[in-house]
Amino acid sequence: MSVPPVYRRWVTCPEPRPQASLRLFCFHFAGGDASIFRLWTTQLPPSIEVCPIELPGRATRRAEPALTHFPTLIDTLARRILPFLGQLPFAFFGHSFGGNLAFELTRWLRRQGAPLPVRLFLSATPAIQSRAQPYARVSHLADAAFLEQISTRFGIPLDVISREEVRDMVLPAMRADVLVAESYHYTPEPPLDVPLSSFGATQDPEVGPREVEVWRHQTTADFRSRFFPGDHFFLTPQRPRLQQAVLEDLASTQFP
């Protein structure tokens, strides 16, 4: 598919598969980048073309200014992804705050009468609609205190993210994404007519079992939930089992 280069900065495709019957768009967690899904592009069957989203301000787009306002990010992302949605059935997979992006992007598409995903996969995604206080505000904190709060909330060892080489690489993107999260205000809308799978971890300090299950109220279609061993970042250690769950749920989903 021919689209201007600006669109492909947002929608990457490390392993093009012209014969694929479905595109899987993947949304990374706060502070992450598209490389998190690099192995997905080769490990899923040839019938699936994996397209990780790369937000500005990180990795290959490090020199670009990051977007820090949720409505602006959703609107910009939606317009960048639209040219990729017309030819093949597609699904969205988002981990942590990437799941919130995938969910709100799906609602944006519905409001515009645009094509919708055949299935929505939300992994370790906080159900903001069920929280009295969506996100504790930490973006104003100095670096040391900010990283300490991130460590506590998500179970990341503080000595790991405080290392100079790690801190310098992830801190700017993490701060930008936290600002995005803090500017996210959930607005009630009717449930989606899109099948939804919600994945959680047994030892996640940020997203508990109730928040995994409460996503069933956001769809009138098929809902499935699963729990995997591990903490908030089970995405990597549980990748084979997670991919198998995605394949099973896609197999149960009716699409052209």
Side-chain angles (χ1 to χ4, degrees), residues 28-33 36 58 97 169-178:
H28 57 72
F29 50 76
D33 59 67
I36 294 161
R58 72 209 67 225
F97 193 67
M169 182 174 60
V170 305
L171 186 58
M174 178 67 75
R175 280 197 172 279
D177 293 345
V178 166

Side-chain angles (χ1 to χ4, degrees), residues 29 31 77 80 113 124 128 155 182 197 216 244:
F29 50 76
L77 175 58
R80 293 293 185 260
I128 302 302
E182 291 178 357
S197 297
R216 70 173 62 251
Q244 184 58 38

Side-chain angles (χ1 to χ4, degrees), residues 10-234:
W10 289 77
V11 182
T12 71
C13 186
E15 183 82 12
R17 293 178 169 178
Q19 305 306 315
S21 57
L22 179 134
R23 282 195 177 106
L24 180 64
F25 296 94
C26 298
F27 301 80
H28 57 72
F29 50 76
D33 59 67
S35 67
I36 294 161
F37 297 102
R38 179 179 57 84
L39 292 178
W40 288 58
T41 64
T42 57
Q43 291 175 341
L44 289 178
S47 59
I48 298 176
E49 184 177 72
V50 179
C51 297
I53 301 300
E54 185 85 283
L55 299 182
R58 72 209 67 225
T60 61
R61 306 184 65 189
R62 191 179 181 88
E64 299 178 47
L67 297 179
T68 58
H69 184 238
F70 187 88
T72 302
L73 176 57
I74 283 292
D75 188 69
T76 307
L77 175 58
R79 297 182 190 284
R80 293 293 185 260
I81 205 172
L82 269 175
F84 296 87
L85 305 185
Q87 292 186 340
L88 287 178
F90 63 95
F92 288 161
F93 179 99
H95 187 82
S96 191
F97 193 67
N100 289 124
L101 289 178
F103 171 66
E104 291 296 349
L105 178 58
T106 303
R107 300 209 300 173
W108 188 99
L109 294 172
R110 180 176 65 176
R111 290 194 295 271
Q112 302 301 317
L116 296 179
V118 299
R119 195 167 197 104
L120 185 58
F121 295 96
L122 305 180
S123 174
T125 300
I128 302 302
Q129 68 274 15
S130 70
R131 293 185 173 185
Q133 182 178 355
Y135 280 100
R137 296 193 172 273
V138 299
S139 59
H140 63 286
L141 297 175
D143 288 352
F146 176 81
L147 290 174
E148 185 175 352
Q149 287 294 316
I150 295 299
S151 171
T152 300
R153 280 175 53 180
F154 298 103
I156 309 171
L158 184 59
D159 63 330
V160 172
I161 58 173
S162 295
R163 293 173 189 162
E164 184 176 358
E165 67 275 14
V166 177
R167 185 188 66 237
D168 293 347
M169 182 174 60
V170 305
L171 186 58
M174 178 67 75
R175 280 197 172 279
D177 293 345
V178 166
L179 282 168
V180 171
E182 291 178 357
S183 65
Y184 174 30
H185 301 287
Y186 171 78
T187 301
E189 292 182 14
L192 295 162
D193 185 21
V194 173
L196 193 156
S197 297
S198 181
F199 303 143
T202 55
Q203 296 175 312
D204 188 344
E206 173 68 6
V207 180
R210 177 178 175 273
E211 285 199 296
V212 173
E213 295 292 345
V214 78
W215 283 108
R216 70 173 62 251
H217 302 302
Q218 293 293 340
T219 179
T220 59
D222 179 55
F223 174 82
R224 300 184 178 198
S225 63
R226 289 181 180 79
F227 291 88
F228 299 85
D231 57 21
H232 190 71
F233 294 99
F234 66 93

